[in-house]
Amino acid sequence: MNSLEKVTDLTISGNQSLNSLNGLNNLATISSGNLMIRNNPALASIAELSNVSSLNTIEIDSNNALMNLTGLENITSLQSLPSKGMTH
């Protein structure tokens, strides 16, 4: 997946042992602008999303090991950021 640069939507959900988004380092475009990351209790980092710069919606929900949003610092356009389930 290291060569993946563009997707239509990105949903990462229900992965009990996923702890990072390794392989998404080159992802730059989510064409619909919708990113959902939910119910990944071991996910500790989304830093691999640092090449994405524009989104409509980011939904981050129930990723209890996720302590920060490092990786989203290059987002320059965003319409909605609902966030819950970050316990740290």
Side-chain angles (χ1 to χ4, degrees):
M1 284 193 351
N2 283 332
S3 63
L4 187 65
E5 295 178 7
K6 181 179 181 178
V7 296
T8 301
D9 285 302
L10 183 58
T11 299
I12 300 165
S13 179
N15 299 286
Q16 298 300 312
S17 58
L18 181 70
N19 59 17
S20 75
L21 301 180
N22 285 337
L24 295 179
N25 305 56
N26 292 319
L27 181 64
T29 304
I30 301 174
S31 60
S32 73
N34 298 317
L35 171 64
M36 182 189 325
I37 303 172
R38 82 165 35 147
N39 298 319
N40 305 288
L43 183 63
S45 174
I46 58 173
E48 293 82 1
L49 297 177
S50 64
N51 288 320
V52 177
S53 62
S54 179
L55 291 169
N56 290 329
T57 302
I58 302 172
E59 183 177 336
I60 298 174
D61 179 10
S62 300
N63 302 288
N64 296 336
L66 189 61
M67 298 190 319
N68 61 58
L69 298 177
T70 300
L72 301 181
E73 61 273 2
N74 292 321
I75 301 292
T76 58
S77 174
L78 181 64
Q79 293 180 10
S80 176
L81 176 61
S83 179
K84 57 186 175 181
M86 291 177 61
T87 59
H88 300 282

